[in-house]
Amino acid sequence: MDEQELKQGITKAVEDVRKTKPMAPSITNTVTVNFVANAQLAVGGAAAMVYLADEAEAIASISQSFYVNLGTMFDFYMDTLEPLSDYLHENNHKWVLDPVAAGLGQMRSQAIDYFKDKTPTIIRANATEILTIAEMWGLASNSKTKIRGVEAEDEVEEAKDAAIAIASYTGGVVAVSGKVDLITDGKVIVHSYGGSEMMENITGAGCSLAGVCAIYECVTDSLTAAVTASQIYNLAGKIASKKANGPGSFESEFLDCLYNLSSEDIANNKFEIEELDV
Ligand SMILES: Nc1ncnc2c1ncn2[C@@H]1O[C@H](COP(=O)(O)OP(=O)(O)OP(=O)(O)O)[C@@H](O)[C@H]1O
Ligand SMILES: Cc1ncsc1CCO
Ligand SMILES: [Mg+2]
């Protein structure tokens, strides 16, 4: 894939979502659930949040991509997450994983271990979470990262090799967010630029970015979907930060940008694509 093909793919993904309004269901954390749904709606998709095992499988069967976010774990989650990820894997169903706070606690670790062979088609996370998963899955060692909570403790480029190793293992895409976003399928690396430091002053920029990846994944391949989500987030974040007076107005300006930006402007936001030697 070259830069021109990717630009065309981004433009088409943005337009197809606005035309066809695809629904991507989510099991997502209780902190940012409303922001995830609003971001999915703002880009033109539809949201549906579920928590029970029988509902998750039923709604997965009528969707093109499913979003799983581990932000706030509850006792009964494994009863849903294990059969759901079995179902997604067995049916070659696309799904996005946001492994929030990977490495924290026994139940979250059990979930991440379980997902290793359930082929998540996009893993979207911050650098610390990607470094942690690569280590948990035995794909990298000697990482010095230490989990503290839901925030990144490492720079995006430090997670580059871990991201490539995970993508090569799953056969899917890994998207690492931060000041510059890095997206890889193990064959190419895309860097998407823009955004704003203000995105660190609201909760859920990352959670909702992953939810929006699932929306774009309903209409295009996983690499194009993850790049399109980063491109719209980076342009919307940059423009919204110029209009906002603080985190409150930033959040609403940001949603307005997701809704209003043109597909051409989103595709023309700065990005670079580089082939990897494989
Ligand atoms: N310092 C920054 N400068 C520019 N853009 C940023 C910056 N920090 C984050 N972003 C953007 O914010 C979005 C979310 O990424 P981030 O890395 O903050 O996710 P996260 O840490 O998982 O967030 P959360 O857990 O709060 O949902 C991405 O589009 C990213 O490019
Ligand atoms: C703050 C917080 N705590 C658990 S999930 C979450 C949202 C950001 O990941
Ligand atoms: Mg996060």
Side-chain angles (χ1 to χ4, degrees):
M1 191 181 293
D2 65 21
E3 190 181 313
Q4 212 44 43
E5 282 167 342
L6 189 50
K7 271 192 189 178
Q8 283 166 6
I10 295 166
T11 308
K12 186 166 178 346
V14 170
E15 289 170 3
D16 285 351
V17 161
R18 287 175 177 164
K19 259 185 252 154
T20 64
K21 220 176 176 353
M23 182 271 294
S26 306
I27 294 173
T28 192
N29 72 70
T30 53
V31 182
T32 64
V33 56
N34 180 259
F35 195 62
V36 172
N38 276 334
Q40 291 179 315
L41 292 170
V43 301
M49 277 53 181
V50 292
Y51 295 96
L52 302 179
D54 67 329
E55 293 179 356
E57 210 168 303
I59 202 160
S61 72
I62 52 161
S63 70
Q64 303 301 313
S65 177
F66 201 108
Y67 175 35
V68 173
N69 176 302
L70 298 182
T72 47
M73 301 297 286
F74 290 94
D75 279 344
F76 67 91
Y77 268 23
M78 292 312 284
D79 299 341
T80 301
L81 294 176
E82 290 188 359
L84 173 68
S85 61
D86 291 345
Y87 174 88
L88 296 168
H89 173 65
E90 283 157 19
N91 290 282
N92 290 319
H93 198 290
K94 295 178 186 175
W95 68 287
V96 179
L97 172 64
D98 187 335
V100 180
L104 179 72
Q106 189 253 326
M107 190 172 161
R108 211 178 290 260
S109 301
Q110 188 189 331
I112 290 167
D113 283 344
Y114 199 83
F115 294 154
K116 182 177 177 192
D117 292 310
K118 302 298 168 190
T119 50
T121 47
I122 299 178
I123 299 177
R124 199 295 321 164
N126 66 42
T128 301
E129 291 154 350
I130 292 300
L131 287 164
T132 305
I133 292 194
E135 191 150 312
M136 288 173 80
W137 286 358
L139 305 171
S141 56
N142 306 323
S143 141
K144 288 188 281 301
T145 190
K146 273 247 171 329
I147 195 84
R148 198 169 60 101
V150 303
E151 309 288 349
E153 307 289 328
D154 303 273
E155 298 298 324
V156 169
E157 285 308 305
E158 291 173 46
K160 177 176 161 179
D161 291 344
I164 295 168
I166 295 169
S168 304
Y169 181 80
T170 60
V173 167
V174 174
V176 194
S177 62
K179 195 167 161 25
V180 175
D181 296 340
L182 179 161
I183 301 117
T184 183
D185 61 357
K187 300 180 204 79
V188 300
I189 287 223
V190 179
H191 285 97
S192 170
Y193 297 85
S196 154
E197 284 179 6
M198 196 52 92
M199 293 169 103
E200 298 176 29
N201 292 324
I202 60 166
T203 187
C207 305
S208 61
L209 172 63
V212 166
C213 285
I215 294 289
Y216 288 124
E217 217 184 16
C218 294
V219 302
T220 188
D221 64 273
S222 303
L223 181 71
T224 306
V227 175
T228 304
S230 264
Q231 287 285 97
I232 193 169
Y233 263 57
N234 279 325
L235 185 59
K238 188 165 95 182
I239 295 173
S241 69
K242 291 187 183 135
K243 296 184 176 173
N245 297 313
S249 50
F250 175 76
E251 205 172 285
S252 59
E253 294 287 355
F254 179 74
L255 286 174
D256 289 353
C257 285
L258 293 184
Y259 184 77
N260 285 314
L261 291 174
S262 75
S263 54
E264 288 77 15
D265 286 348
I266 295 162
N268 285 323
N269 181 64
K270 183 179 173 193
F271 73 87
E272 284 160 358
I273 180 166
E274 174 199 333
E275 301 273 343
L276 291 166
D277 296 324
V278 279

